Amino acid sequence: MLNWPNCTNARDLGGLPLTGGGRIRAGALARSDNLDQLTDAGIAAVRAAGVSRIVDLRSVWECETYPSPFTHDDRWLNVPLTDPADPDVSTSDLFEQYRILIDDYPDRFASAITAIADAPPGGVVLTCHAGKDRTGLVTALTLALIGVPRDAITADYAITNLTEPRPGFALPTAETILHLLDHLDTEYGGPRPYVIQSGMTTTHLASLTTRLSQVDRQG
């Protein structure tokens, strides 16, 4: 976990393995709960981490009501994954909530992942409210696109279970995100065709892989 006071679900994804060798580069991609909780020390820690882009996945309403301390910083970019006008699916189970987002709003996911690929040199932070659902989905898709094995993707997603439960939030399980990845395979041919048909390009995908990957040296 990253020491970003007062965030409770901030972590660096560096070190996750890549199929065929290599790993995600330390400091290249992090995920977090709402940065509006940050203390002055937390804000300083984010700046010191070399972050060049913060992809805030919250709705415009959330960003206006609970503004990020980086709202007026060039690092901050709002890419809403949800909107208050969207149908209320909160009574559905977690997989069904995720499936609806994936099926109904592929352009939102493509935009969020493109924002990672197109970021200036430096680290990228994905953030939403709890750092679980919207951040979890974009993270899982990103990891799948650059070749992180599914067992590592599901393990990362389920780590949120180690943080303090919050009232009204269903805790994630590895099975939930695995089910979603299977859904992408069945309905779209996998994560790569899904984002390509939603607006990403092969150039974006190559940039994503290059900026996040580290090849292990041999010998």
Side-chain angles (χ1 to χ4, degrees), residues 124-218:
V124 176
V125 179
L126 294 170
T127 178
C128 58
H129 177 61
K132 174 177 76 75
D133 299 317
R134 290 167 287 188
T135 295
L137 287 174
V138 174
T139 298
L141 272 170
T142 300
L143 298 182
L145 287 168
I146 65 172
V148 174
R150 290 200 172 181
D151 58 347
I153 295 173
T154 57
D156 169 73
Y157 172 77
I159 286 174
T160 302
N161 266 330
L162 301 179
T163 64
E164 183 178 352
R166 302 184 183 191
F169 285 86
L171 287 176
T173 65
E175 290 75 17
T176 299
I177 207 67
L178 183 60
H179 194 182
L180 187 78
L181 292 170
D182 288 342
H183 173 74
L184 285 167
D185 288 344
T186 301
E187 297 299 323
Y188 303 96
R192 186 181 179 92
Y194 172 78
V195 296
I196 288 289
Q197 71 185 44
S198 306
M200 286 194 73
T201 66
T202 54
T203 300
H204 290 140
L205 290 171
S207 296
L208 187 74
T209 301
T210 299
R211 76 172 299 123
L212 300 182
S213 302
Q214 173 181 311
V215 178
D216 291 334
R217 295 182 177 179
Q218 301 296 320

Side-chain angles (χ1 to χ4, degrees), residues 56-115:
D56 195 328
L57 301 168
R58 297 177 299 157
S59 69
V60 172
W61 178 87
E62 288 175 281
C63 292
E64 291 176 346
T65 307
Y66 306 101
S68 167
F70 297 96
T71 298
H72 302 295
D73 192 304
D74 288 342
R75 294 176 178 85
W76 185 78
L77 181 65
N78 183 210
V79 185
L81 209 61
T82 56
D83 187 275
D86 294 339
D88 182 9
V89 297
S90 60
T91 58
S92 301
D93 66 44
L94 204 51
F95 165 73
E96 186 63 11
Q97 293 180 43
Y98 290 177
R99 184 200 64 75
I100 290 169
L101 274 178
I102 286 286
D103 288 349
D104 289 359
Y105 306 112
D107 56 314
R108 299 180 184 180
F109 286 94
S111 294
I113 300 171
T114 298

